[in-house]
Amino acid sequence: MIDVDLTYSAEDEAFRAEVRAWLADHLVGEWAALRGTGGNGRDHESYEGRLAWNRYLAEHGWTCLGWPEEHGGRGLPLFQQVIFHEEYARADAPVRVNHLGEELLGPTLIAHGTTAQQERFLPRIVAADELWCQGYSEPGAGSDLAGVRTRARLKGDQWVVDGQKVWTSNAHLSDWCFVVCRTDAGSSRHHGLSYLLVPMDQPGVEVRPIQQLTGTSEFNEVFFDGAVTGADMVVGEPGDGWKVAMATLGFERGVSTIGQQVGFARELETVEEAARANGTIDDPGIAVRLSQAHVGLEVLRLHALRTLSAYDSGSEGPEASVSKLLWARWHRDLGELAMDVVGLAGLTTGDDYALDRLQSLFLFSRADTIYGGSDEIQRNIIAERVLGLPREPRPQEPRREARA
């Protein structure tokens, strides 16, 4: 563990004032109606308006802030990126639609892509002109990414892809998908994987929405049946897919997690307001849990800043491995607290299964400890890779008896 300075400089605070002023001046008129829209379980809200707002941000230089300037970004230091996400969330600005391109694929292409790939895709990500989804999880390989069975074979100047992905966020709205698939037919586990860029609008790709507890369908199944992409659409070398995929997951714990936590704070305020309105805040048990939630949220914020600082300095340690465990359990507990605050009212919905914000919070947060790497997988990673404990025993293939 390393010591890091978690304070903001005068220059950082000046940048904060700039971001806050810009949002106050521009998140008005037609854009003001978008405040608070989008988010987990609510990605369907004002989608076209949020896409237009995302492109408006791009026109004014507020996308891809941490990317190097030569790739279309602003090259801002870590804490100024954090400040932007803090102020963006505090302004209740609409959730952006280009997260996977801007925060995951773009940095991956900067680190591992060819010059041609960077020139082809990065400007369109900066401008939010092309949207991306992530083709990792499969029915038999969720948190266990090394178990993927989707296959691709090189045929002439094209990769031909066959297989299925699942829990693919916003695949129905995406132009491209970055797909981890097996390109070495005789390989197993993390060997023989490749990281392909596959266009979604083609006959060989079928997207089927998955209806969630919230009644919405931002997750999808994606079926590849002879889908094709160019031979040059592999990031890194064929067979390097595991290394590239792990790099992408590293970018996933980027500065946007700070904005996520500011969103959590707004949700906690909503729960607290509900408790004050119906009097449950006078219940000692509820009051204690609200206090614990505030303390837990501050722990999340400080832990995230420490982790990001270590990562930015090239001294990443075990802190990053526990982040998902911390926030997933905190957020799930907040959903349960919300339902205990509203009581029986939480059991009823509006017409056509219309949910209020606290009901959506509770239902969607049930998945927090599962998606993005389940708690069980996260604990195995911490045990084996951080603490150096023996690997968990894995099931063996049954031995076949030799025939007489």
Side-chain angles (χ1 to χ4, degrees), residues 189-307:
R189 302 300 297 163
H190 58 276
H191 303 287
L193 300 175
S194 296
Y195 191 108
L196 302 184
L197 310 177
V198 181
M200 296 293 286
D201 186 13
Q202 58 171 303
V205 177
E206 180 185 358
V207 177
R208 298 180 190 172
I210 300 172
Q211 188 171 22
Q212 299 149 209
L213 284 173
T214 53
T216 57
S217 300
E218 64 194 60
F219 294 129
N220 301 270
E221 294 177 285
V222 180
F223 295 87
F224 299 100
D225 184 9
V228 297
T229 194
D232 59 342
M233 290 293 105
V234 57
V235 181
E237 296 296 325
D240 281 348
W242 180 260
K243 179 180 73 174
V244 179
M246 292 302 101
T248 301
L249 292 178
F251 295 124
E252 193 168 22
R253 53 178 177 262
V255 294
S256 61
T257 58
I258 299 296
Q260 176 196 52
Q261 290 164 22
V262 177
F264 287 171
R266 290 207 312 269
E267 291 177 333
L268 177 54
E269 289 171 6
T270 302
V271 174
E272 199 162 25
E273 289 168 2
R276 294 185 186 280
N278 67 11
T280 54
I281 199 166
D282 296 326
D283 180 324
I286 295 294
V288 167
R289 291 168 67 189
L290 285 169
S291 297
Q292 290 172 335
H294 279 284
V295 172
L297 187 59
E298 181 64 9
V299 170
L300 289 180
R301 187 182 76 85
L302 293 174
H303 179 79
L305 288 174
R306 181 177 64 181
T307 301

Side-chain angles (χ1 to χ4, degrees), residues 9 24 30 35 81 84 242 271 304 361:
S9 67
E30 63 176 313
R35 286 181 183 268
Q81 297 174 56
F84 173 80
W242 180 260
V271 174
L361 163 63

Side-chain angles (χ1 to χ4, degrees), residues 103-156:
E103 305 290 347
L104 299 188
L105 180 69
T108 302
L109 290 180
I110 290 171
H112 297 281
T114 64
T115 300
Q117 290 168 350
Q118 293 168 352
E119 292 175 350
R120 163 63 181 84
F121 293 112
L122 295 183
R124 291 171 174 82
I125 294 175
V126 172
D129 284 339
E130 287 181 339
L131 303 180
W132 288 82
C133 58
Q134 182 178 31
Y136 275 23
S137 295
E138 298 185 5
S143 298
D144 182 19
L145 181 60
V148 297
R149 296 182 179 180
T150 294
R151 298 188 177 277
R153 65 186 189 280
L154 195 58
K155 184 178 180 181

